[in-house]
Amino acid sequence: GENVEQHPSTLSVQEGDSAVIKCTYSDSASNYFPWYKQELGKRPQLIIDIRSNVGEKKDQRIAVTLNKTAKHFSLHITETQPEDSAVYFCAASSYTRGNQFYFGTGTSLTVIP
Amino acid sequence: DTEVTQTPKHLVMGMTNKKSLKCEQHMGHRAMYWYKQKAKKPPELMFVYSYEKLSINESVPSRFSPECPNSSLLNLHLHALQPEDSALYLCASSPQESGNTIYFGEGSWLTVV
């Protein structure tokens, strides 16, 4: 089965700095990679996703990059703000496995004002 | 609109009680899911329904019993739970089973006493 590893587990940055979270996956059949943000006591919410036919995707301050050869993908947040503080989960899924998502272990991001 | 609604938001039950969690979506999604989430951990898949049929059961104990009365509704029946079953239970849906984003409901916080 798929194995998704996520690093770091905790990350603290100063407001305005950039934050990068990295995930690796093991199954080359994985072709869809979403990122979820979960604030304390709330549900995971999709913030950005990327499919295997694309190398990079941006949405305002958030970007995701995918390296299929190395089997890793990363979340980049620029100009961080205190409201970016949350737990971020990466995930991988594949058409061949139905819609079974394999989640990373999460990164707790703290943006220090 | 990506709304998945869950009730109740909070539930406290004894180990001999029988209760149910309910989930509803009106987005025409044909796949619905139950996830269990412990604090600071990623969501763990429990069940997947595709076109109202159970397609994945992740070896969940029989004290959890899912039901999909129609394409918009998903229930999780609870009976004889253990304190370690206390967690956030998340319902989710996606447009079809394979290769699409899943959208989470707000969750039901369950405490077993």
Side-chain angles (χ1 to χ4, degrees):
Chain A
E2 174 63 279
N3 180 41
V4 178
E5 296 190 358
Q6 184 172 345
H7 299 282
S9 57
T10 60
L11 179 60
S12 291
V13 299
Q14 292 289 333
E15 183 177 357
D17 286 351
S18 295
V20 180
I21 302 170
K22 298 183 180 182
C23 288
T24 61
Y25 61 99
S26 59
D27 189 347
S28 57
S30 289
N31 58 5
Y32 175 65
F33 307 93
W35 285 90
Y36 287 87
K37 174 185 180 182
Q38 189 172 26
E39 297 175 32
L40 191 63
K42 298 195 174 179
R43 70 178 121 184
Q45 289 202 289
L46 178 75
I47 55 171
I48 196 166
D49 57 9
I50 192 166
R51 297 188 186 276
S52 58
N53 59 347
V54 175
E56 182 175 1
K57 185 176 178 181
K58 285 185 80 171
D59 182 4
Q60 299 183 353
R61 296 186 297 110
I62 294 173
V64 57
T65 58
L66 171 65
N67 183 326
K68 281 195 312 183
T69 304
K71 296 198 188 70
H72 66 70
F73 56 112
S74 300
L75 177 70
H76 304 254
I77 306 174
T78 58
E79 300 171 25
T80 53
Q81 301 167 3
E83 51 265 37
D84 294 329
S85 297
V87 178
Y88 291 81
F89 293 103
C90 63
S93 77
S94 166
Y95 288 103
T96 63
R97 296 191 302 265
N99 212 16
Q100 192 163 353
F101 279 60
Y102 291 85
F103 284 90
T105 48
T107 297
S108 179
L109 173 65
T110 302
V111 179
I112 304 163
Chain B
D1 184 9
T2 55
E3 194 63 35
V4 178
T5 57
Q6 289 186 242
T7 56
K9 287 192 175 8
H10 298 274
L11 177 63
V12 178
M13 61 186 289
M15 290 189 282
T16 58
N17 291 161
K18 283 185 181 181
K19 297 285 185 183
S20 297
L21 305 180
K22 297 185 183 302
C23 176
E24 188 169 6
Q25 58 88 13
H26 293 290
M27 297 176 280
H29 289 177
R30 302 315 302 266
M32 295 186 76
Y33 312 77
W34 281 114
Y35 281 85
K36 172 183 177 181
Q37 188 179 28
K38 292 280 204 177
K40 300 194 177 183
K41 298 289 186 184
E44 294 175 43
L45 182 64
M46 299 174 73
F47 304 103
V48 181
Y49 273 83
S50 177
Y51 293 89
E52 301 161 50
K53 288 186 168 37
L54 183 64
S55 61
I56 296 177
N57 176 342
E58 289 287 347
S59 303
V60 179
S62 60
R63 58 186 184 268
F64 296 92
S65 174
E67 178 197 17
C68 189
N70 60 52
S71 60
S72 300
L73 294 174
L74 185 65
N75 299 322
L76 186 62
H77 302 299
L78 314 171
H79 175 53
L81 296 192
Q82 304 297 309
E84 58 265 28
D85 296 321
S86 299
L88 176 66
Y89 288 83
L90 292 160
C91 175
S93 71
S94 67
Q96 60 190 30
E97 188 173 12
S98 297
N100 279 283
T101 301
I102 57 172
Y103 298 95
F104 288 97
E106 299 268 6
S108 293
W109 292 93
L110 174 66
T111 303
V112 182
V113 297

